[in-house]
Amino acid sequence: MALFRSDPDSAVAKTDRPTANPAEQHNIIGATTTVEGTLRSSGNVNISGTVDGNVEVEGRTMVMPGGVVEGEVTSTSAEIAGTVHGRVVVTERLVLKASAVIDGDIRTGKLVIEDGATFNGQCQMGPATSHRATERATERAGGAAVVGTVGAREDAA
């Protein structure tokens, strides 16, 4: 009987093992679900409902249209099509879809903003950007700063 076989090379034995790759983990917060407190994951997270607290993901975070985060989002990469009321910190690439609403500061390696997205806050981008550089730019600009580059530099020729 194959079900009780102890052969580690059998198909049944291989499918019973949990996945070791966090990128293969998919966590879904459904549209009718509310999470209160900090949400932590080493895999990917899709939020269609509400998170009333911080989101800490060592993978990809997706806030879907209609999804709401009332707190800080910290992730390796993220795509936001819903609403975030709080700071967004992404080490690699952050995409703000056309339906995104961000009320808070952004710190990211790379930023893509689609036409129609709403962003209210300060933005700091690039791997070499420091908190102090943002503070200095904010002081010079009288309270608002965007630090980083988008596209090619004109003086690069």
Side-chain angles (χ1 to χ4, degrees), residues 16-67:
D16 289 342
R17 294 184 189 142
T19 180
N21 185 356
E24 293 178 5
Q25 296 178 17
H26 298 283
N27 302 287
I28 299 171
I29 307 301
T32 59
T33 302
T34 298
V35 174
E36 295 179 356
T38 300
L39 172 63
R40 289 187 184 95
S41 176
S42 60
N44 299 330
V45 174
N46 288 8
I47 300 170
S48 294
T50 301
V51 177
D52 190 5
N54 296 336
V55 176
E56 300 172 3
V57 177
E58 295 176 20
R60 183 175 178 195
T61 301
M62 293 183 66
V63 180
M64 308 304 285

Side-chain angles (χ1 to χ4, degrees), residues 107-121:
R107 184 174 185 186
T108 184
K110 295 179 182 178
L111 177 63
V112 177
I113 303 176
E114 291 184 1
D115 189 23
T118 301
F119 164 55
N120 297 305

Side-chain angles (χ1 to χ4, degrees), residues 72-111:
E72 184 171 306
V73 175
T74 305
S75 188
T76 304
S77 65
E79 186 173 301
I80 299 176
T83 303
V84 176
H85 295 284
R87 185 174 164 186
V88 179
V89 179
V90 176
T91 55
E92 293 178 3
R93 183 173 187 244
L94 170 63
V95 178
L96 301 183
K97 302 301 248 177
S99 57
V101 176
I102 307 295
D103 285 321
D105 295 343
I106 292 175
R107 184 174 185 186
T108 184
K110 295 179 182 178
L111 177 63

